[in-house]
Structure formats: C-alpha cells, structure tokens
Amino acid sequence: MNDKTARVVIIGAGIGGLATALRLSHQGCAVTVLDTHAAPGGKMRTLPSVAGPVDAGPTVLTMRPVFDALFADVGESLDDHLTLLPLETLARHYWDDGAMLDLMADPDASLANVNAAFGTKAGKEFAAFSARAKRLLDAFDQPMMQTSEPDQRSVTRTVLRQPSLIGDMAPHRTLASMLRRSFSDPRLEQLFGRYATYVGGSPYASPAILALIWQAEAQGVWSVKGGMHQLAQVIAGLTTDRGAVLRYNTTAARITRQGGKVTGVETAGGHIPGDIVVFNGDPRALETGLLGATLCDTVSPAATSPRSLSAYVHAFAAAPTGPALAHHTVFFGHDPKAEFSAIAKGEMPQDATLYLCAQDHGHAGPGDIQRFEIIMNAPPVLNDPEKEKAQCQTLIFDRFRQFDLRFSPEPGPETLTTPQGFDALFPASLGSLYGRSPHGLMAAFKRPTARTKVPGLYLCGGGAHPGAGVPMATLSARHAAAAIMTDLASTLTSRQTAMPGGTLTGSATVGPKRSLS
C-alpha cells in the first residue's frame, strides 16, 4: 500500500457505493468508482418520458437523520444541496369494497382517519399497534441497524434490560400472525402487512419484529424536488469535488488478488489498481464467481439465499382520471393470502396489491400529463419474459379500471421492467431487489457485514447489513467506510511500530482529521 494515500476502487455507484466514496474521499483516500450504467444511482434510477425523467426505483426519502448525518460528516448540509418536501399524507389506501384511509405525518390525524374509516375500536387497536411498533424501533435501532456487526448477544442484552420487549417482538410469530391478533378489521391487517414488502418479504413468512418499519415511516416521509435520482447526482458531485473519479459505462470483470489480498479490479479497458476494493452490488455475484472464481467462498450461500421479492415496475407519463391520488396511493388486492401464495410458488400474482407513485402530485392540474411509477410485487426471475410482460400489462391496468382509475395514454409494455429486466440490470440478483429474504427471525443476522474474509475487500449496499432500502444502504456505507479507516489505521500502526525506533505519527493514509460518524 502506498504510504501516503490509500487507493480505493468501488464497484457500483448505487447509494451505498456513492456514500462510501463520499466518506472515503473526504478522508483523503484516492477513490475510483466504477459502474456499468451511464449515470449514478443504481436502483435509484430514472426512465425517460414526455414529462421528463420518471423515478423507476425508490420514490421518497425516509429516516432523514441518516442523510443529515452523511452530509454533516463531510462538512455539508443536506438542505444546501437538495429541496426535501415533507409529505403531509404518508400514503392513501383504497380497498375494493370502497373503503379509503389516509395515513398522515400527524399521528393524531392518522388516528382520526382510522376512527372515521373503521370505527373507534379499530382506532384503539391502531394506537396500540403504533405504540408497539415505536417501542420496537426505539429498542432495536441501535443494536441492529446502527451497529456495524450485530450479534445475538447484544440483542439479548437489550431484551433482558426490557423484558416487555419479548411480548412486543412476538418472536415465534410471523408479521401476519401478529397483525391478526392486533386488529379485528382484516383491512388493517392487510395494510400493515405490506410493510414486510418494503424489505422484500411476505408478511406470512417475515418475523413480527418488522412491524417497526411502520414507525420508521411514521417519523416522516419526504419527496425530493426533481426526483430521487437528484440525491445520487448530488452525492456523486460532492464526491468528485473531493477528488474521486467516477467511471460510468465501465463493467468490473474481475477483482484481482495477489498473496491473498486484493490488488484492484480488471475491466475491459484495463486493470485499475487498488489497495482496497468495495463491492456495492448483490453479494450473490461474489458467491457465484461472477467477479472471480477465487472469491466464491467470500460470501456464504446462507448470506444470499433465500432470495427476496422482485417487482414489476412501470414508469411512464400520462393524464389520470378517477379517484383522488396522493403522492403514494395503494390499491389493495382482494385477498393478500392469494397474492403471497402465488409469489411463494414463483408465479405472477393474479390478485395483487398495486402501489402508485404520482411524482408530480400537487404540481399538476386536472388533465395534465403527470409522471407515475407503478410497483407490483413479484417473485424472482420467471421463465418467459415476453409472455410475462403482456400478462402483467393486462393485469395491472384491468385492476386499476376496477377502481375507476384510467390513464391517457395507457402505457405500453415498453414502460415495464420485469424481474428478468432487474436481473440484467443487477447481475446475479435473479431480479431480487432486496438481496437476501427477510424471512425467519434470524434473517437479520445472516446478511454479510462490511468486512469480508479477503484482506482489502469490503461490502456495502442493500445486500449487506443492515439491509435493503435507501436509508439502510446509506448506513451500510457508514459501516464500510468506518471499517476501512480503522483497518488502514491499524495497518499503519503495525508498520510504524515495526520500524526500529519508530513512533506513531500522523499520516495521509488516514486522511484529514474529520469525523466519520
């Protein structure tokens, strides 16, 4: 390793790779980021439309303190670079029996809406469930998400300090089972069961502790002016301002090693040397040998399988008519068991819940062309992509017509990304958008952490701890950058103390004295 500057090659310019690059370049590392695609963002991507770029991935920002901390740690302010618009209505929900419910940023308003839609008994159950979800989030945020290497002992200590958490966790129940005991109205069971899909799971197989996701959303949701891809563009710009090099349209073919340690990344354009390599992609790519046969045992099969959900995603522009839409509107399927049973069998669900993001909500008038994203849950890769597209296209828009929602012009299958499409965009993923499945109580402990058994090779992104989603992938970047800087400092200390008469002094290897956390 160069005694003055650590050379870091990051594979993947998704949010995890970008946030890692920003932190390390701020610390003085020489950072090169490689990405197969033509722009930064990874799954936080856009597609063109007549109304401008349409988000075709994550649509809003949650857990804002994660992003405030990222910008503050590199001497910046989030508000100086992005305009975040808080959503008063977190999500609007329609059922096919005519019921409608808005969940609000104001918890009292949410409670009032539940009372009005489903009665005071349902309101009391909702208040009790929300309090339970908050206790879970407060208890497990630090020992799970905020720590770089969670272990069962630290979680056990948390529970022993608060024994009532055992009841809140319902450790031997699925989320669906816990919700069935929490709500007498099956529509509220269905609503809060969908939060398992936020991390790629089915409520019928995911642990009850995932109820905490509701409170992560209840703490605030923001849209980003200009679309979510603006977050990626801003972080990429701040990274290049600090000297990093971002190379798009560049595919990593192989991670090179010598003497057991990484030496860089091989691309079609030549070898890029690196003392450190950070992989911001699906860890299954390492397990399957996509980046070199010698790395197959870097990640265990249990860290990448079983696979999470995929999705069918439409991104288009059209003029809507029909029911009033919020920024986020959910149109529930008739029978959630049917949806997730089909997905568990590897089949396209015929009775699916549809999620609709109206990207221009609040800024467009009646009859105006607006940008939309539709998401329908799906299993990983199926066998017949062309047949699948036609079936999905018909199913989605027939379903919307049942709610009297229509789009003009109605988008065609060319605006649809299928699980096969996601597998092509993100190699070795099988189209799974969230890495490993969250099913099972111990799933959270099975994701790979930032450090690997290969010296110099680190992981970040939604496939690594703490998991999927823009905030989680951003936290993974913090964990990866901290691990790298700690290991670099340790290497430097070992070298200097091994020198005759050597003393430990400052070095550019660990960069300027700026906080990582």
Side-chain angles (χ1 to χ4, degrees):
M1 183 173 61
N2 187 300
D3 286 337
K4 293 185 177 180
T5 303
R7 299 168 301 175
V8 180
V9 183
I10 299 176
I11 302 172
I15 186 64
L18 291 173
T20 304
L22 177 57
R23 288 183 178 277
L24 293 179
S25 59
H26 185 72
Q27 289 288 330
C29 296
V31 177
T32 301
V33 182
L34 312 177
D35 199 285
T36 301
H37 304 117
K43 294 185 179 74
M44 198 159 55
R45 66 193 185 108
T46 63
L47 292 176
S49 81
V50 295
V54 189
D55 282 334
T59 56
V60 289
L61 208 66
T62 59
M63 298 177 67
R64 175 173 174 162
V66 170
F67 304 95
D68 284 323
L70 170 64
F71 279 71
D73 288 348
V74 298
E76 304 284 349
S77 169
L78 180 63
D79 288 327
D80 287 343
H81 296 279
L82 288 167
T83 300
L84 301 184
L85 307 170
L87 298 185
E88 180 180 350
T89 301
L90 303 180
R92 176 163 294 164
H93 307 83
Y94 287 106
W95 286 265
D96 58 7
D97 63 1
M100 189 272 280
L101 175 67
D102 284 349
L103 290 178
M104 312 297 290
D106 178 352
D108 292 335
S110 288
L111 178 58
N113 289 346
V114 173
N115 284 331
F118 302 120
T120 56
K121 180 181 179 181
K124 291 177 181 178
E125 293 169 343
F126 168 71
F129 172 74
S130 294
R132 180 181 192 172
K134 186 176 188 304
R135 291 192 298 269
L136 289 171
L137 181 62
D138 291 345
F140 293 108
D141 179 43
Q142 188 60 44
M144 287 299 298
M145 291 180 282
Q146 301 293 336
T147 189
S148 61
E149 296 183 0
D151 63 81
Q152 295 179 44
R153 288 174 296 179
S154 64
V155 172
T156 299
R157 286 193 295 269
T158 298
V159 174
L160 289 176
R161 287 193 295 267
Q162 303 177 64
S164 61
L165 285 172
I166 297 174
D168 288 336
M169 292 171 62
H172 301 297
R173 296 192 179 279
T174 64
L175 179 60
S177 175
M178 185 262 269
L179 292 171
R180 192 160 52 248
R181 289 170 170 254
S182 300
F183 294 107
S184 53
D185 193 308
R187 291 168 294 188
L188 291 177
E189 288 180 44
Q190 185 178 24
L191 191 162
F192 290 103
R194 79 183 179 89
Y195 283 92
T197 67
Y198 280 32
V199 290
S202 160
Y204 298 96
S206 298
I209 196 172
L210 292 191
L212 61 80
I213 298 174
W214 153 237
Q215 273 304 299
E217 181 174 90
Q219 291 180 356
V221 175
W222 290 261
S223 66
V224 179
K225 185 177 181 180
M228 281 290 288
H229 67 287
Q230 291 295 325
L231 175 63
Q233 295 283 359
V234 164
I235 296 176
L238 292 174
T239 301
T240 56
D241 289 346
R242 286 156 175 76
V245 176
L246 275 65
R247 296 175 57 171
Y248 304 115
N249 301 306
T250 303
T251 299
R254 184 170 62 95
I255 296 172
T256 57
R257 298 169 68 183
Q258 184 174 354
K261 189 184 185 304
V262 300
T263 57
V265 177
E266 195 72 47
T267 73
H271 183 258
I272 301 173
D275 310 302
I276 300 291
V277 173
V278 182
F279 182 58
N280 172 218
D282 197 305
R284 188 174 178 275
L286 295 173
E287 180 212 332
T288 57
L290 193 65
L291 291 166
T294 64
L295 297 174
C296 289
D297 63 350
T298 304
V299 177
S300 72
T304 62
S305 297
R307 303 301 292 166
S308 67
L309 299 182
S310 186
Y312 303 96
V313 176
H314 267 290
F316 63 97
T321 58
L325 302 174
H327 188 89
H328 285 168
T329 307
V330 180
F331 296 85
F332 283 111
H334 182 72
D335 179 6
K337 289 183 180 179
E339 175 180 8
F340 291 103
S341 176
I343 290 173
K345 296 174 185 176
E347 301 171 355
M348 181 189 302
Q350 300 300 302
D351 182 15
T353 290
L354 301 179
Y355 164 90
L356 178 69
C357 174
Q359 187 172 327
D360 298 311
H361 179 261
H363 305 285
D368 287 351
I369 296 289
Q370 303 177 42
R371 291 171 290 178
F372 293 97
E373 179 179 355
I374 300 167
I375 302 174
M376 185 176 90
N377 293 322
V381 172
L382 299 177
N383 295 320
D384 190 344
E386 291 309 313
K387 181 179 179 182
E388 180 186 9
K389 270 196 171 187
Q391 289 179 339
C392 183
Q393 174 78 10
T394 299
L395 188 153
I396 286 176
F397 291 99
D398 281 354
R399 182 68 180 161
F400 278 137
R401 280 188 284 272
Q402 293 174 19
F403 287 92
D404 292 325
L405 177 61
R406 290 170 171 78
F407 298 94
S408 179
E410 185 171 289
E414 71 280 358
T415 69
L416 177 66
T417 305
T418 67
Q420 285 85 356
F422 285 115
D423 183 51
L425 288 168
F426 309 108
S429 69
L430 296 180
S432 293
L433 296 177
Y434 312 87
R436 191 193 190 281
S437 164
H439 295 167
L441 184 62
M442 303 309 294
F445 296 100
K446 293 183 178 179
R447 287 181 180 271
T449 55
R451 287 187 178 91
T452 73
K453 64 176 69 175
V454 177
L457 177 60
Y458 299 81
L459 304 178
C460 70
H465 170 74
V470 178
M472 297 296 99
T474 304
L475 280 176
S476 83
R478 190 187 77 188
H479 298 328
I484 290 166
M485 297 309 298
T486 297
D487 294 348
L488 287 174
S490 176
T491 301
L492 176 63
T493 301
S494 298
R495 286 185 174 186
Q496 291 176 328
T497 55
M499 295 170 59
T503 58
L504 181 60
T505 59
S507 168
T509 302
V510 294
K513 299 297 183 181
R514 293 166 178 161
S515 172
L516 270 175
S517 61

